[in-house]
Each structure stands twice: as structure tokens, then as C-alpha cells.
Amino acid sequence: YIIFLFLIFFYLSKDNYFLLFLIPLFSFLILNFRKLCFQGNSGINMISFFISIIVIKFYKENYITDVEDILFFMFLPGVEMFRLFFFRIVNKKNPFKADKLHIHHLLLKHFNSKQVILITSSMAIFPYFTYINLNKSSWVFIFFLAVYSLLITVSLKKS
């Protein structure tokens, strides 16, 4: 997903620095698949902060012209964060406390890790490309929200 974002950043800005960032990302990906290196929370928090700064900068500099564009390439993390936050509050749990209710944890009960990566990557990437290719129709958000909800519902019922 992060590789996808950096490719989008390169596409929008034509700045070669984003291609340079792909080298360590692919290196970590390969090492992670071989179980030789794990990025962990600190690594992903740093990259998330960096991505946030880039998105704000791109919006201010008009590389990103619509707020909806941000919504679509941040679809999966945004919807997932909202869902987890909501369900933790409803269940009277601390919304900031870690649990095993993330979509990848639920999917791992039914699929192997490579299939989960494929499913979650698709859910992260397809909304943006569908939105762009359908002339930025807001129906795309509703469709992918329904697909996401169905996926969560099926995963929770089989648990």
C-alpha cells in the first residue's frame, strides 16, 4: 500500500525522489517476506507521518486538487480506523488500545498471508483507480464501502 502511495506521489509530482524511496520499501518488503526483518510500529508510524506531510503539501501546492482524491487513496486506512474506533467505543474499550480486530487479523483466520496481502492491497488500491476512471463519481465510495462492510461481516461471522 505504501509503495502504491509513493507511485501515486511520483505520478502527481513527477519528482524522482519518490522513486528513490521505493528502494528501501522494496528492500523491507523482500526481507519481511523472508522473515529476516520487520519494520514494526515505529517504522510504520514514521512512514505514516511522512505520508501525511506529503499529502498536506500536495494539497497546498495543487498536485491534489480535490479532497475526495485524498479520501480515495486513503480509503482502506481511513475506513478501517473509523470502524475500529467506533466498535471499540461501542464495546466500552479504549479506542487507542491494540486488539486483533483489524481487517488483516480477521482475514488471516480464513486465508493465508499472501492472500490477505492481495485482498487488502486490492481494497486499498482499487477504490482510487475506480474513482479516477469513473470521472470521480462519488458512487464509487458507496460501492467500496459496501464491499468493505460485506468483507468485514463475512469475516466476523466465520470467526
Side-chain angles (χ1 to χ4, degrees):
Y1 172 67
I2 294 166
I3 291 168
F4 158 72
L5 285 179
F6 277 89
L7 289 171
I8 293 293
F9 295 155
F10 170 73
Y11 174 77
L12 293 172
S13 70
K14 309 297 186 253
D15 191 340
N16 290 331
Y17 289 115
F18 293 111
L19 294 179
L20 287 175
F21 280 107
L22 293 177
I23 296 167
L25 289 174
F26 274 115
S27 298
F28 265 106
L29 186 64
I30 291 166
L31 292 172
N32 193 8
F33 276 125
R34 293 183 178 167
K35 298 181 182 185
L36 298 172
C37 186
F38 183 68
Q39 197 169 21
N41 288 340
S42 297
I44 198 63
N45 288 339
M46 181 197 65
I47 290 173
S48 299
F49 175 75
F50 190 56
I51 288 170
S52 301
I53 299 298
I54 293 168
V55 169
I56 292 167
K57 182 178 187 241
F58 274 27
Y59 187 72
K60 287 175 81 174
E61 294 178 0
N62 289 325
Y63 289 119
I64 300 171
T65 55
D66 300 320
V67 174
E68 290 84 6
D69 291 346
I70 299 168
L71 175 72
F72 278 98
F73 64 75
M74 301 296 265
F75 175 81
L76 186 62
V79 171
E80 180 73 354
M81 178 193 65
F82 181 77
R83 178 188 68 86
L84 286 169
F85 202 78
F86 177 78
F87 280 106
R88 288 172 184 165
I89 289 173
V90 166
N91 292 321
K92 295 180 173 51
K93 295 182 179 177
N94 182 344
F96 302 107
K97 195 108 169 149
D99 59 21
K100 297 280 186 185
L101 294 177
H102 289 269
I103 190 167
H104 58 277
H105 292 129
L106 298 175
L107 292 172
L108 279 170
K109 294 177 182 177
H110 311 289
F111 302 100
N112 67 42
S113 60
K114 290 180 182 174
Q115 291 170 321
V116 170
I117 290 170
L118 182 65
I119 292 167
T120 55
S121 295
S122 298
M123 285 300 295
I125 294 169
F126 286 151
Y128 179 75
F129 285 116
T130 307
Y131 172 71
I132 296 300
N133 289 317
L134 291 178
N135 297 320
K136 298 188 173 189
S137 170
S138 56
W139 287 102
V140 174
F141 183 78
I142 294 167
F143 172 76
F144 279 102
L145 193 58
V147 169
Y148 173 83
S149 300
L150 182 65
L151 190 60
I152 291 296
T153 303
V154 169
S155 293
L156 284 172
K157 284 192 177 189
K158 287 186 176 182
S159 299

